[in-house]
Amino acid sequence: MKIFRLAVIFSLVLSSAAAVGQIKNDPYVKGKNDTIRVAVTNVDNELIPWFPLADVVITDTRIFKSPLERAKFNRLRYNVLRVLPYAMFARNRYAQLQRDLAVTSTRREKRKLVKAFEKEIKDMFNKEIKNLTITQGGILIKLIDRETGNSSYDLLKEMKGGVTAFFYQSVARVFGNNLKNQYDPEEDREIENIIRSSGYYMYN
């Protein structure tokens, strides 16, 4: 009888050890210290955990030749960061308009969507954009092209027609700007460097 009991206990111990061994060897069983779920890649039957990281922009400390050059750069940086939110708003709102138009079948509904878009842009202009300087307005024109892929002139022409676009272009030219200006990362590399080093896109 004692031998039978010993055999039962011995078999239970072995089965428990085998079960524990299977749990340890099973990569899909969550251990007591496993608290974070991550993606894995199977490399030669070995599961390698990994997770994506945000891009890190590395910039060097800029050395200015003179206080005047530093002041000029700081002024440009201020102007760029002053108008960048408006350009991003235009990008997001224009993208939303394109998505809405794509799923709208009737011309009447499309006109309503365009008018709502125009009203939002006009309200923003009346409240804030009209207070921009001529220099800031010129930078905004380029940033709108950078964010939307379309010049301000093309956007106006698409929304309001060629006559209206021509009228606003004429007004812009009087104040030394050009709605047809396009963004060139090489030509406008100072602006590009300011945008990339500002960290603005990390939080917006």
Side-chain angles (χ1 to χ4, degrees), residues 3 79 89 113 124 174:
I3 295 175
N79 288 334
F89 173 82
L113 290 171
M124 185 174 66
V174 170

Side-chain angles (χ1 to χ4, degrees), residues 36-130:
I36 301 175
R37 290 181 176 272
V38 297
V40 295
T41 299
N42 191 328
V43 180
D44 297 330
N45 293 325
E46 182 179 358
L47 297 179
I48 308 298
W50 61 270
F51 53 92
L53 295 175
D55 292 340
V56 177
V57 179
I58 301 175
T59 57
D60 197 2
T61 301
R62 180 163 181 169
I63 300 176
F64 297 94
K65 296 179 180 179
S66 66
L68 182 62
E69 186 181 80
R70 179 188 294 273
K72 183 179 178 182
F73 176 82
N74 287 339
R75 186 63 184 173
L76 177 62
R77 186 176 189 277
Y78 170 81
N79 288 334
V80 170
L81 298 183
R82 173 84 166 82
V83 302
L84 183 57
Y86 302 129
M88 294 188 67
F89 173 82
R91 177 197 67 186
N92 295 335
R93 189 61 186 85
Y94 181 70
Q96 182 63 52
L97 174 64
Q98 295 303 309
R99 289 193 293 268
D100 293 341
L101 290 175
V103 296
T104 303
S105 57
T106 65
R107 296 181 62 181
R108 182 178 180 183
E109 287 298 318
K110 289 183 178 181
R111 283 197 298 268
K112 288 175 62 175
L113 290 171
V114 172
K115 283 187 176 181
F117 172 78
E118 291 173 4
K119 185 178 184 304
E120 285 191 43
I121 298 297
K122 193 175 291 185
D123 288 346
M124 185 174 66
F125 177 86
N126 290 332
K127 291 178 181 177
E128 301 183 49
I129 295 181
K130 68 178 182 180

Side-chain angles (χ1 to χ4, degrees), residues 5-60:
R5 288 180 179 177
L6 289 174
V8 170
I9 293 173
F10 185 69
S11 62
L12 287 173
V13 171
L14 286 179
S15 61
S16 298
V20 171
Q22 289 177 358
I23 291 174
K24 288 183 177 179
N25 293 329
D26 188 348
Y28 300 102
V29 175
K30 194 174 182 180
K32 64 178 182 178
N33 296 321
D34 295 333
T35 57
I36 301 175
R37 290 181 176 272
V38 297
V40 295
T41 299
N42 191 328
V43 180
D44 297 330
N45 293 325
E46 182 179 358
L47 297 179
I48 308 298
W50 61 270
F51 53 92
L53 295 175
D55 292 340
V56 177
V57 179
I58 301 175
T59 57
D60 197 2

